[in-house]
Amino acid sequence: MATATIPQVEEVLSKLSRLFKKEMGNWIEVDFSPWGSQNSQRQLFTLIRNAIITNRVIKFRYYNVAGEQSYRSIEPAKLLFKDKSWYVEGYCLNTESYRVFKISRMKEIVVTEISYEPRTVVAATDTKVNDLLHTIEVTLHISAQGAYRVYDEFAEKTITQREDGSYTVTAQFPVGNWLDSYLLSFGPLLIEVSPEQVRTRILSHLETMKRNLNVPL
């Protein structure tokens, strides 16, 4: 059985092995880390997990969604995997409230010797995570060349293939900057977007990119 990059997952995989009666061979591998991740990034999971288990305050430098930097000290409560990303939820000693921090934006993480008593968890806040709670129905027209993304990322019931081989996808999406970045990631594969306000935001971003890149408008 292949080892996974999430520490101490071997026990879980061993149980799966017994369940499916396959004891030998590299028949399964689990890896939550993104392509190109360095080993140091992968070890952050272990570092934060141990801080949670031992009730230790962690300190780190953090970049929010606007790119603003701050230094935080938190009492980590749990790890959260949402929308293809890892987050840590905990009580922020700077703001005196529960917050959610995206691990990829946490830098210079240090587990201190300061211990804490676990608190009663209340609703945590983070701009991106909260955005995911508010959705809007969006319809996308995606070219035939985008089939690999259509079937990878959308439920079959949301997909309609057109006579020319292209696709129409109608689904609920989180409102905010995440949606803008996601749609822009399709590049020339994206033919049309509705509703109008979503299309307008995308076009506005493209115009800004043109100006930043000194491309004639």
Side-chain angles (χ1 to χ4, degrees):
M1 182 183 299
T3 57
T5 57
I6 297 302
Q8 295 186 353
V9 77
E10 289 84 0
E11 181 180 352
V12 176
L13 297 182
S14 178
K15 291 179 180 178
L16 287 173
S17 177
R18 292 194 294 271
L19 176 64
F20 291 104
K21 304 185 187 306
K22 290 183 70 69
E23 300 296 335
M24 303 298 293
N26 295 329
W27 66 279
I28 186 171
E29 181 173 351
V30 178
D31 188 348
F32 287 112
S33 60
W35 293 107
S37 294
Q38 300 298 316
N39 187 58
S40 59
Q41 290 177 297
R42 297 172 181 174
Q43 294 307 312
L44 290 179
F45 185 95
T46 302
L47 191 70
I48 297 171
R49 180 204 62 192
N50 290 343
I52 294 171
I53 293 173
T54 59
N55 296 333
R56 299 291 179 181
V57 170
I58 62 174
K59 296 183 177 181
F60 53 92
R61 181 162 50 88
Y62 190 68
Y63 291 92
N64 65 15
V65 292
E68 299 166 337
Q69 178 182 250
S70 62
Y71 290 87
R72 302 297 185 102
S73 296
I74 71 169
E75 299 173 356
K78 67 179 177 181
L79 287 159
L80 169 67
F81 187 75
K82 191 175 185 66
D83 187 38
K84 304 177 184 178
S85 298
W86 280 104
Y87 298 83
V88 58
E89 180 179 329
Y91 185 80
C92 178
L93 298 175
N94 303 82
T95 61
E96 297 185 343
S97 61
Y98 270 92
R99 296 295 177 92
V100 175
F101 301 93
K102 189 173 184 180
I103 291 179
S104 63
R105 297 205 300 264
M106 297 168 64
K107 310 299 179 184
E108 302 170 9
I109 300 174
V110 175
V111 178
T112 74
E113 294 301 316
I114 303 172
S115 60
Y116 62 90
E117 289 295 325
R119 302 170 185 259
T120 300
V121 178
V122 297
T125 60
D126 176 90
T127 301
K128 182 175 179 181
V129 173
N130 285 343
D131 281 349
L132 295 174
L133 302 177
H134 306 287
T135 63
I136 183 175
E137 184 175 275
V138 177
T139 298
L140 310 177
H141 181 193
I142 300 171
S143 71
Q145 290 71 31
Y148 69 99
R149 290 201 59 176
V150 169
Y151 289 109
D152 275 353
E153 301 174 24
F154 300 105
E156 186 176 356
K157 65 181 180 180
T158 69
I159 303 168
T160 300
Q161 187 168 20
R162 300 189 178 196
E163 291 184 0
D164 63 358
S166 64
Y167 300 89
T168 296
V169 176
T170 300
Q172 293 291 323
F173 290 88
V175 177
N177 293 329
W178 181 91
L179 176 57
D180 300 338
S181 298
Y182 178 71
L183 296 180
L184 286 169
S185 74
F186 280 87
L189 298 175
L190 188 60
I191 299 173
E192 185 58 271
V193 181
S194 63
E196 178 66 28
Q197 66 264 31
V198 176
R199 180 168 59 251
T200 299
R201 284 174 61 94
I202 297 302
L203 292 175
S204 176
H205 285 304
L206 290 174
E207 293 300 324
T208 300
M209 290 173 66
K210 284 183 179 181
R211 287 193 295 271
N212 290 344
L213 295 171
N214 297 316
V215 177
L217 299 178

